[in-house]
Amino acid sequence: MTGDLKPRTRAVHGGTRRSQYGEVSEAIFLTQGFVYETAEQAEARFIEAGPDEFIYARYGNPTVAMFEERIAAIEGAEDAFATASGMAAVSGALISMLKAGDHVVSARALFGSCLYVLEEVLTRYGVEVTFVDGSDLDAWAAAIRDDTTAVFFESVSNPTLQVVDIAGVAALAHAKGAKVLVDNVFATPVWSDALAQGADVVIYSATKHIDGQGRALGGVILGTQEFIRKTVEPYMKHTGGSMSPFTAWVMLKGLETLDLRVRAQTANATAIAQAIETHDKLARVIYPGLDSHTQSALVQRQMGQGGTVLAIDLRGGKEAAFRFLNALEVGVISNNLGDAKTILTHPATTTHQRLPQDQKDALGITDGLVRISVGIEDQADLIDDILNALKTA
Ligand SMILES: *Cc1c(COP(=O)(O)O)cnc(C)c1O
């Protein structure tokens, strides 16, 4: 691949390795191991494996390598390591680089499992973690210290779609020598250029938009070759969170249509948000692409578009939210996001059920809040479905 191809071309061709058969669609190398021609070759490979030399699928596999090279090419990253899930990527990126005594600053508005890793796991091993309001640059500035090793945040938070200023936080972190780790799931590789904006490490749950069809769990960590191969790979390959070759094949094929799907989903999300923005059953419509989003200027600068997810707050609380969800005929009630199907979630009783009430309040997770991950269905059908369901709310 030459350096000047655009991301949409790289998404289709990047990383391809053809076998001797010249297959068009990438092969699934569903093998845990590899045969060496001689004992000397085995010895040499264990000393140092070349880019097309494999040892064991936990260390690497040709199909997994194709996925890693393709997503790295799309992101403009030097390298990538594919993982068994998004959480294997989040925990692997953090744990592989941290040690007892280190200090981390993190945004408070996080996916529940990310919060668990930072609050419960890292602290158990002697890492100090300070939580801040991610949208407040002054809070980041106050919390980042001379001895801070890393900062962590979701560039767009789940489920209330708070946006963190990547360039702003990166400038503060880099001034103190801290690395910037960004969970970029909601922003997607299509609307985010997190590495160019100052992130050192970008993490995706591939389960979401990259698969985009609800089939498999996966994740990926992107960064410099030095960080991926010297810090992440030794940790991941010895602790077992590597991606399976079958999953890598699903994700690789997902990358080919990622751009088309995310653009279609975003167009649908924008149209829905505009259609219901002033609906009288709704106290709030939160969509980063609306002018009414409190961080609209930042969204335009950082992403250019509002993405594929919106959140609505029904005035009638939980009862109204449940009536609305139960009346849908196209959208489905589930908890994934980024899917080709429109998926609706009631965070207060499902994904964020276990949060204590004061934390729900602090994060804006009200009883009327419904998260809508918008799919690629016909736009008019989706708007009709939501307006009809709102009548019952
Ligand atoms: C889903 C999600 C994860 C975890 O990914 P899994 O593939 O489910 O392990 C991490 N961060 C964010 C923001 C997510 O939405």
Side-chain angles (χ1 to χ4, degrees):
M1 296 293 286
T2 62
D4 35 358
L5 291 171
K6 307 284 189 300
R8 282 205 252 187
T9 306
R10 294 165 187 235
V12 178
H13 295 284
T16 300
R17 291 158 195 248
R18 292 208 164 86
S19 78
Q20 70 271 35
Y21 301 112
E23 64 279 354
V24 173
S25 177
E26 297 75 0
I28 313 179
F29 291 93
L30 208 51
T31 178
Q32 50 68 33
F34 303 85
V35 174
Y36 313 103
E37 274 163 31
T38 61
E40 288 79 6
Q41 190 186 51
E43 181 186 33
R45 206 170 290 184
F46 270 79
I47 294 170
E48 187 169 3
D52 261 317
E53 295 179 345
F54 299 94
I55 293 172
Y56 193 59
R58 181 152 43 73
Y59 292 24
N61 168 287
T63 312
V64 177
M66 285 194 265
F67 169 70
E68 290 171 342
E69 279 178 32
R70 185 167 293 177
I71 181 81
I74 295 171
E75 290 281 311
E78 284 181 17
D79 215 335
F81 194 92
T83 60
S85 68
M87 286 320 304
V90 170
S91 61
L94 287 164
I95 296 173
S96 67
M97 70 169 293
L98 294 169
K99 60 181 184 324
D102 283 348
H103 177 239
V104 175
V105 182
S106 171
R108 194 177 291 117
L110 292 180
F111 181 70
S113 301
C114 295
L115 187 63
Y116 178 83
V117 169
L118 282 141
E119 208 170 27
E120 306 286 336
V121 180
L122 293 182
T123 51
R124 201 187 298 158
Y125 294 94
V127 175
E128 187 192 345
V129 184
T130 306
F131 290 97
V132 297
D133 172 353
S135 63
D136 181 354
L137 277 182
D138 293 337
W140 286 100
I144 298 170
R145 313 190 304 227
D146 289 337
D147 68 339
T148 300
T149 318
V151 303
F152 178 82
F153 57 88
E154 292 168 12
S155 50
V156 180
S157 76
N158 177 26
T160 49
L161 310 171
Q162 183 188 76
V163 182
V164 176
D165 181 345
I166 298 173
V169 176
L172 294 169
H174 290 156
K176 304 279 187 184
K179 270 204 160 60
V180 178
L181 285 76
V182 179
D183 179 333
N184 218 21
V185 167
F186 278 62
T188 81
V190 176
W191 301 131
S192 178
D193 207 356
L195 288 170
Q197 287 162 7
D200 298 297
V201 180
V202 171
I203 299 158
Y204 288 104
S205 162
T207 316
K208 312 292 166 56
H209 303 82
I210 293 176
D211 175 4
Q213 287 153 90
R215 299 165 293 193
L217 284 176
V220 65
I221 306 167
L222 298 125
T224 62
Q225 192 173 32
E226 164 95 12
F227 178 72
I228 296 297
R229 295 300 149 197
K230 300 267 165 62
T231 301
V232 173
E233 182 192 298
Y235 175 83
M236 293 306 304
K237 79 181 188 188
H238 294 304
T239 55
S242 307
M243 181 180 274
S244 86
F246 182 77
T247 297
W249 180 79
V250 170
M251 299 305 179
L252 186 62
K253 303 310 285 179
L255 286 178
E256 290 182 6
T257 58
L258 174 71
D259 189 275
L260 289 173
R261 285 183 284 104
V262 168
R263 282 175 201 274
Q265 290 170 264
T266 301
N268 281 349
T270 306
I272 293 169
Q274 287 168 350
I276 61 176
E277 190 177 5
T278 55
H279 198 285
D280 58 8
K281 298 266 174 80
L282 301 176
R284 274 193 306 169
V285 173
I286 310 172
Y287 180 61
L290 288 176
D291 292 340
S292 60
H293 191 280
T294 51
Q295 298 165 292
S296 179
L298 172 61
V299 173
Q300 293 312 321
R301 171 156 52 83
Q302 186 160 295
M303 293 168 62
Q305 295 273 343
T308 67
V309 182
L310 62 139
I312 58 176
D313 195 353
L314 287 103
R315 290 188 196 280
K318 177 180 164 183
E319 286 70 29
F322 276 27
R323 280 198 301 274
F324 165 72
L325 288 167
N326 293 338
L328 292 163
E329 287 177 0
V330 179
V332 297
I333 305 169
S334 188
N335 35 259
N336 193 20
L337 63 96
D339 201 276
K341 297 181 172 67
T342 294
I343 294 178
L344 295 94
T345 313
H346 186 247
T349 54
T350 61
T351 52
H352 293 71
Q353 189 191 118
R354 276 176 313 223
L355 277 190
Q357 191 58 45
D358 60 325
Q359 283 194 45
K360 282 185 191 162
D361 293 345
L363 296 175
I365 302 170
T366 58
D367 287 341
L369 193 78
V370 173
R371 187 186 78 190
I372 310 177
S373 169
V374 181
I376 62 172
E377 300 96 331
D378 183 87
Q379 200 169 93
D381 284 346
L382 291 178
I383 293 173
D384 282 351
D385 193 34
I386 288 170
L387 289 177
N388 278 332
L390 279 174
K391 281 185 197 144
T392 70

